[in-house]
Each structure stands twice: as C-alpha cells, then as structure tokens.
C-alpha cells in the first residue's frame, strides 16, 4: 500500500472526494431509512384498518352468516336411503 504523497493538491483532492463520498453515504442512508419507515407506517395502517374492519363485522353479528348463502338459513328435510358401514373399506 503506497504511503501518503507530499503534494498538497493531491491531499486536498482526496479529502474532497472523501467528503463527497461520506455525504453521499449519509444521504443515501437517510433516504433508505425514510423509505423503510414509510413502508412500516403503511403496513401498520393497513393492519390496523383490517383489524378494525374485522372487529366491526363481528360486533354487527355478521359471523352467523354463511359465506355461500349471504346469511340466509336453508331448512330442509331429508331421508337416509342407505347407511354405509364405515368400518369396511369400499370396493
């Protein structure tokens, strides 16, 4: 690894480049942190909204509604035609 040069212009230029790289790294880190924080806030808001919606549905009594019938109950009579013996395997 070569040692530091004695030329003052090279030292000033290297310090300027180092400063630009350092400022760029800090700005890039701040932008990434802001994006990550924004994504976390949006995810938390979506989760809270979903939780509020589910609690609202449960408090209104929608849990008794069947998914395919839209809450209607179908009453019907039936007759057993033949009972199967569950112990025997089917042929």
């Amino acid at each position: 690894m070569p040692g530091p040069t004695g030329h003052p212009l090279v030292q000033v230029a290297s310090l300027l480049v180092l400063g630009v790289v350092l400022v760029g790294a800090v700005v890039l880190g701040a932008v990434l942190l802001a994006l990550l924080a924004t994504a976390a806030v949006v995810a938390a808001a979506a989760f809270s909204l979903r939780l509020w919606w589910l609690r609202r549905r449960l408090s209104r009594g929608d849990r008794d509604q069947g998914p395919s019938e839209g809450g209607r109950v179908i009453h019907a009579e039936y007759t057993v035609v033949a009972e199967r013996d569950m112990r025997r395997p089917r042929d």
Side-chain angles (χ1 to χ4, degrees), residues 49-65:
L49 185 65
R50 177 69 176 153
L51 192 61
W52 169 79
W53 180 258
L54 289 174
R55 285 182 178 169
R56 181 174 161 254
R57 279 186 55 200
L58 285 175
S59 68
R60 287 177 41 200
D62 289 345
R63 62 182 154 197
D64 296 334
Q65 295 182 356

Side-chain angles (χ1 to χ4, degrees), residues 11-34:
Q11 289 179 351
V12 168
S14 65
L15 283 176
L16 285 175
V17 169
L18 178 65
V20 168
V21 169
L22 186 64
V23 167
V26 168
V27 168
L28 183 63
V31 167
L32 290 176
L33 183 63

Side-chain angles (χ1 to χ4, degrees), residues 1-2 8-9 23 67 87 91:
M1 181 169 183
L9 283 177
V23 167
R87 292 173 288 180
D91 294 329

